[in-house]
Amino acid sequence: MPDVAAVIDDLREESQELDLLVRGLSAGQWAAPTPAHGWSIAHQIAHLTWTDEVALLAATDADAFAGEVAKAMKAPESFVDRGAEELAASAPDELLARWRNGRAGLEAVLRDAPAGVRIPWYGPPMSVASMATARIMETWAHGQDIADALGAARTPTARLRHVARIGVRARDYAYRVRGIKAPEEEFRVELMGPGGELIAFGAEGAPQRVTGPLVDFCLLVTQRAHRDGLAVRATGPDADRWLDIAQAFAGPAGPGRAPRGE
């Protein structure tokens, strides 16, 4: 089982790193487009803000959160974009302050949560560690869009193991959301971390395998880069097919990113 406090620490560090990237941006830069179609840098931070606030509501008021779920069920394809759109219209300093307040509030609640508590969510309820891990994944992925928009290079960190873990655990979901039957056999995933450490998932002797750099696998499963430009390799037809559809996030099948140059 993951060390819950350590996962929350990693969430704080991931958020602080992104905060450093955006805190000095001009109003024009906040409006700059990102690789996500129709989303500016403001939209990216607005989405993180909206999700942190909804997660905080889920962790503190289950009845009120159930009302939000009911709203989402009426517009499953648009409720996330609508939340981002509304907040993105805020002045940059107001949006930044709201994001900071929301993530600080969520962190405090997660740290104080009783052992074993399950937090309701749009899918199955989540443990505290799973909620924090999901927030790390989203913060890193949307941060990547922002970095790409700014032409900023980011140094991969060991925190990416959380993103990879979600990507692996969401394997069958990626098939299911596309109406495809998932393979019955487990895959072996072996990734090389930024410090040269091996990060592995699945049975060591599994014949179908995925290998590559940790950061490339994370870019793949968050659909921030096309697999053709990444050093992620598959052994076996099912593992190879998975790399075409993998997604670490909930919701409809993502469109992915086009290969570089297209």
Side-chain angles (χ1 to χ4, degrees):
M1 296 295 292
D3 181 329
V4 176
V7 178
I8 298 172
D9 288 344
D10 282 348
L11 172 58
R12 171 187 281 183
E13 291 179 12
E14 192 65 41
S15 299
Q16 288 175 337
E17 183 176 296
L18 179 54
D19 196 308
L20 285 172
L21 189 60
V22 301
R23 66 176 57 177
L25 297 183
S26 66
Q29 287 174 309
W30 277 90
T34 68
H37 180 69
W39 276 29
S40 65
I41 289 176
H43 283 87
Q44 301 283 351
I45 296 299
H47 172 70
L48 293 176
T49 303
W50 177 86
T51 312
D52 284 342
E53 291 179 353
V54 172
L56 178 58
L57 182 67
T60 57
D61 191 335
D63 289 340
F65 175 71
E68 293 301 312
V69 173
K71 294 177 186 177
M73 294 295 289
K74 295 179 181 178
E77 302 291 334
S78 63
F79 78 99
V80 171
D81 286 346
R82 188 171 63 247
E85 190 70 37
E86 291 172 358
L87 286 173
S90 306
D93 57 342
E94 294 176 0
L95 177 57
L96 185 56
R98 186 162 172 175
W99 176 44
R100 289 169 174 167
N101 289 337
R103 72 184 202 238
L106 178 61
E107 178 187 335
V109 167
L110 294 181
R111 288 193 187 279
D112 291 342
V117 71
R118 308 288 291 183
I119 301 171
W121 199 236
Y122 292 99
M126 305 174 75
S127 68
V128 171
S130 292
M131 177 62 78
T133 300
R135 301 309 307 129
I136 292 171
M137 182 271 292
E138 280 222 286
T139 301
W140 181 81
H142 291 284
Q144 185 62 46
D145 284 340
I146 292 171
D148 287 343
L150 296 172
R154 297 201 300 174
T155 302
T157 73
R159 296 189 297 271
L160 288 175
R161 69 191 185 278
H162 300 298
V163 181
R165 181 173 182 266
I166 290 183
V168 171
R169 289 173 63 88
R171 187 200 75 166
D172 289 1
Y173 176 80
Y175 285 92
R176 186 166 61 251
V177 77
R178 290 166 174 80
I180 306 170
K181 179 177 171 53
E184 294 184 4
E185 66 179 292
E186 188 177 24
F187 298 163
R188 173 71 169 181
V189 178
E190 294 184 350
L191 307 170
M192 190 64 65
E197 69 278 15
L198 176 66
I199 299 171
F201 306 90
E204 189 170 356
Q208 302 223 44
R209 308 169 69 84
V210 170
T211 59
L214 174 63
V215 63
D216 283 22
F217 181 77
C218 292
L219 288 167
L220 179 76
V221 298
T222 58
Q223 297 189 0
R224 261 53 191 182
H226 192 278
R227 66 175 292 192
D228 287 354
L230 301 172
V232 181
R233 302 292 178 260
T235 300
D238 290 333
D240 186 71
R241 188 184 196 187
W242 177 46
L243 295 188
D244 285 331
I245 64 172
Q247 66 179 69
F249 50 87
R257 299 283 163 84
R260 289 188 180 275
E262 292 188 10

